[in-house]
Amino acid sequence: MNNGFGFVNLDMRKKIVAGNWKMNLNFQEAEEIFESIIDLYGDEDSENPIMIICPPYPFLEVGTDLTDELKICIGAQDVSSHSGGAYTGEVSAAMLDSMDVEYCIVGHSERRKHFNESSALIKEKVEQLLENDVCPIFCCGEQLEERQHGKEFEVVKSQISESLFHLSKDEIENLVIAYEPVWAIGTGLTATPDQAEEMHAFIRKLLKEKYDEKVAENMSILYGGSCNVKNAREIFSKPNVDGGLIGGASLSPDDFYHIYKSF
Ligand code: 13P
């Protein structure tokens, strides 16, 4: 298949549906959601698409315990930029790795906005994760005003180049990118499948220019922002969209499983 940027070998690329629970649920509710998702997931044996669940830190262990024998993966929502020591309240990448946490979201727009996370800080977090064999799910995406001013490509290009382009080819291959237009997060306003496809193709082109065709074609690029049971299938059908990073809808086991089955 040729998408205008060269040959696309989709067999090499992993399809992924990841749920970001954000700061929701108490322990009992989290346990119940894990159990319901596991019931729906049943004895699926396929690693493609990959299902990832990213609960808040205190619920990671119940997640890794309950999914131990399954192909479901557990991810964290953030990580410290420090490797360890006197940083009260922080959680290191080495701690995540020691708990069998395989993925970690970094650079989410909510952290960029509410916790003033800069591209430089996110770059350090990405490095910590890669050094500790935890796969970063790197989020990027423009604000509404930036899109209104036609700056969406420029913004995404700087976010990616400032936090990722110091990585070697071998390093960047161990990462997943999530395009989450900020205006679509939690608003019910979804990017159209064509808008998502256009940005994903652009990101792949950036990777091809900076690295090579193989890196670009093998990168899983997820869409996030009001993705739900109604729109997932159409968004996931686009050739450069490899799945989704799901917020609100991931709190409903039925909806999340339905989205997972939407390829
Ligand atoms: P919503 O699916 O609730 O819009 O959230 C998307 C998101 O931020 C996932 O990281």
Side-chain angles (χ1 to χ4, degrees), residues 45-60:
D45 199 28
S46 158
E47 287 186 44
N48 200 12
I50 297 173
M51 181 190 282
I52 306 171
I53 302 175
C54 304
Y57 284 140
F59 312 150
L60 285 172

Side-chain angles (χ1 to χ4, degrees), residues 3 13-15 22 39 46 49 54 60 67 70 94 109 113 158 164 171 174 178 204 207 213 222 225 230 252:
N3 68 348
R13 219 185 278 162
K14 290 188 185 122
K15 299 212 173 283
K22 308 194 180 183
D39 276 353
S46 158
C54 304
L60 285 172
T67 58
L70 303 168
S109 62
K113 180 175 173 207
S158 354
L164 300 184
E171 288 168 330
N174 296 313
R204 226 177 277 292
L207 293 168
E213 174 124 23
L222 314 183
K230 294 205 185 97
S252 155

Side-chain angles (χ1 to χ4, degrees), residues 20 22 108 110 180 184-186 225-227 245-248:
N20 174 9
K22 308 194 180 183
H108 194 282
E110 288 151 14
E180 299 205 310
I185 297 178
S226 298
C227 191
L245 181 53
I246 319 300

Side-chain angles (χ1 to χ4, degrees), residues 112 118-120 122-124 138 154-166:
R112 292 178 192 262
S118 64
S119 286
I122 296 162
K123 174 179 172 190
E124 288 174 17
F138 173 83
E154 194 184 310
V155 169
V156 167
K157 182 176 178 182
S158 354
Q159 289 171 338
I160 291 181
S161 57
E162 287 167 15
S163 298
L164 300 184
F165 278 1
H166 65 293

